[in-house]
Amino acid sequence: MTLQLSIKRSLVAATAVTMLFSLSACAKSSQSGTSSSSSVSSTSNRSNQQKVAKLFKKAQRQIENGQNDEALTTLKRAQRLDSDNAKVNELLANVQNYLSAKAALNEGDTSTAQSNLSKMTSEQTKNNALTSQAKDLNTQASQLKQANTLYQSAYDAVSNGYYETAKAKLAQLNALPSTVKAIKSLQDQGKALTNQINANQNSSSTSQNASSNATNSSSSASTGSLSDDQNDSIIQSFQSAAGITAQTGMSFGVSQIGTNEYQIEVRQSNSTNTVGSLTGIYRYNSQTGSVSKLNTISGKYESN
C-alpha cells in the first residue's frame, strides 16, 4: 500500500513538471509572436516615413519648376501615407491657397485672390519658390485693381466728352502687363473705347464743318437779323416742336436761313459753365412746325 502511494505521488509530480514546462514554452512563443508583430509594424512605419519624405522633396522641386498642380497631387499622396505629418499638411494647404488665388485672379476677382494669399502660413517662408510666386501673384492682383480703376476712369471720361483724359487713362492701361487674363480683357475693351473716341471726334469735326457751312448759308439767305423778342419766340416754339425741355446750362444759338426757316444749335454747359458741348444742330420751320436734326455721321438732316 505504501509502495503504491509512493508511485502515485511520483506520477503527479512528473505531470506537474511537464505542465510547467509546457506553460513556459507557450509564454515564450506568445512573447516571440508579439515581438515579431511589433517589428513588422515598426518597419512599415519607417517605410512610410521614408516615402513621405521623398514625396515632400519631390513636391518642393515641382514648386520650384512652377508645376504647382503636380505638386498638389504629390502632396496629397504623401498625406494619404501620413495624415498627421505637419510639414506635408501645411505645404499642401499653402499650395491649395495659391492655386485658388491664381484662379480667382484670372477671373478678375482680386478680393478673393488676395484673401487666399493672406491665408498662406509660415511654411511659405521656408519655400523660396512658393514665396516668390505668391509675391508675384499679389503684385498682379494690385495691377488688376489699377487696371479696373483706369478703365472705369476712361469710360467715364468718354461719357462726359473728355476724350484727351480718356486717351491718357487708356495709355496707362495698355502699359500694364497683359499676362493676367482679366487685364488683357480690360485692354481689349479699351480698344473699343478708343474706336468710340475716334468716331466721336470725327463726328464733332463733321458737326463743326456743317455748322460753319450752315452759318455761311444763313448769311446769304438771311432775311435780316432777329430781335431779342423774335429770338426768344423762335426758341420757345422750337422747344415745343422738338420736345426739348430747357435745363440749367442749356443754350440755343438761332440763325435765320430763309423765310420762316431757322438753324438752331443746342449746347449744354458743364457744372462750372466753362464748357459748352454741342448736343445737336437742328433745322426748324416756324410756319409748319417741322424739325430736323443733323446726323453728324452722314452730314444730312433727318426728321426729328
Side-chain angles (χ1 to χ4, degrees):
M1 188 70 176
T2 302
L3 180 60
Q4 290 179 343
L5 180 60
S6 177
I7 292 172
K8 287 181 178 180
R9 286 177 178 174
S10 296
L11 289 173
V12 169
T15 301
V17 170
T18 300
M19 292 179 64
L20 182 61
F21 276 109
S22 178
L23 289 172
S24 176
C26 287
K28 288 181 179 180
S29 176
S30 176
Q31 290 175 354
S32 176
T34 301
S35 175
S36 175
S37 175
S38 175
S39 176
V40 170
S41 177
S42 177
T43 300
S44 177
N45 287 337
R46 282 197 301 271
S47 176
N48 280 348
Q49 289 174 357
Q50 290 173 351
K51 289 178 181 178
V52 168
K54 288 181 179 179
L55 289 170
F56 185 80
K57 288 182 179 179
K58 179 181 178 181
Q60 288 183 314
R61 288 195 300 270
Q62 288 172 325
I63 291 171
E64 289 171 359
N65 294 327
Q67 300 171 310
N68 294 316
D69 289 310
E70 291 83 350
L72 182 66
T73 301
T74 300
L75 289 166
K76 285 182 177 179
R77 286 175 56 199
Q79 190 184 57
R80 284 194 293 270
L81 291 172
D82 186 0
S83 60
D84 296 325
N85 190 301
K87 291 176 66 176
V88 169
N89 291 339
E90 194 168 10
L91 185 56
L92 173 60
N94 284 331
V95 172
Q96 286 175 321
N97 281 318
Y98 173 84
L99 291 173
S100 296
K102 187 175 182 179
L105 188 62
N106 278 329
E107 293 299 320
D109 188 350
T110 56
S111 296
T112 299
Q114 291 182 321
S115 175
N116 281 313
L117 288 174
S118 69
K119 295 175 185 177
M120 296 179 71
T121 55
S122 60
E123 176 62 28
Q124 173 190 208
T125 61
K126 300 174 187 177
N127 190 307
N128 292 331
L130 193 58
T131 300
S132 178
Q133 291 171 27
K135 286 180 179 178
D136 288 344
L137 203 62
N138 194 52
T139 298
Q140 291 174 356
S142 298
Q143 290 171 337
L144 178 54
K145 276 189 174 182
Q146 183 183 5
N148 280 318
T149 300
L150 289 170
Y151 177 80
Q152 188 60 51
S153 296
Y155 182 89
D156 292 341
V158 171
S159 299
N160 292 314
Y162 302 131
Y163 301 132
E164 295 307 316
T165 298
K167 285 181 178 180
K169 296 296 181 183
L170 290 172
Q172 289 178 272
L173 173 61
N174 290 330
L176 293 174
S178 57
T179 50
V180 178
K181 180 181 176 182
I183 292 179
K184 180 66 168 59
S185 176
L186 287 170
Q187 289 171 335
D188 289 341
Q189 292 178 55
K191 292 178 183 178
L193 272 185
T194 299
N195 292 336
Q196 184 179 340
I197 290 171
N198 293 335
N200 288 348
Q201 288 183 322
N202 290 336
S203 296
S204 177
S205 177
T206 301
S207 298
Q208 290 175 358
N209 291 335
S211 176
S212 177
N213 292 336
T215 300
N216 292 335
S217 175
S218 68
S219 295
S220 60
S222 174
T223 59
S225 60
L226 298 173
S227 67
D228 289 343
D229 288 342
Q230 288 175 316
N231 192 73
D232 291 342
S233 177
I234 292 298
I235 290 174
Q236 289 178 7
S237 60
F238 162 72
Q239 284 181 269
S240 178
I244 296 176
T245 302
Q247 301 176 14
T248 302
M250 182 176 285
S251 61
F252 301 85
V254 181
S255 300
Q256 187 172 7
I257 56 176
T259 304
N260 301 318
E261 194 77 21
Y262 302 89
Q263 177 172 293
I264 301 175
E265 291 186 15
V266 182
R267 294 181 178 274
Q268 179 67 54
S269 298
N270 61 15
S271 58
T272 59
N273 285 324
T274 57
V275 178
S277 58
L278 184 68
T279 61
I281 299 177
Y282 297 83
R283 290 282 175 85
Y284 170 58
N285 188 302
S286 60
Q287 183 175 21
T288 63
S290 63
V291 177
S292 58
K293 183 178 180 180
L294 177 66
N295 184 319
T296 56
I297 304 298
S298 66
K300 297 180 181 179
Y301 284 87
E302 300 173 351
S303 298
N304 196 40

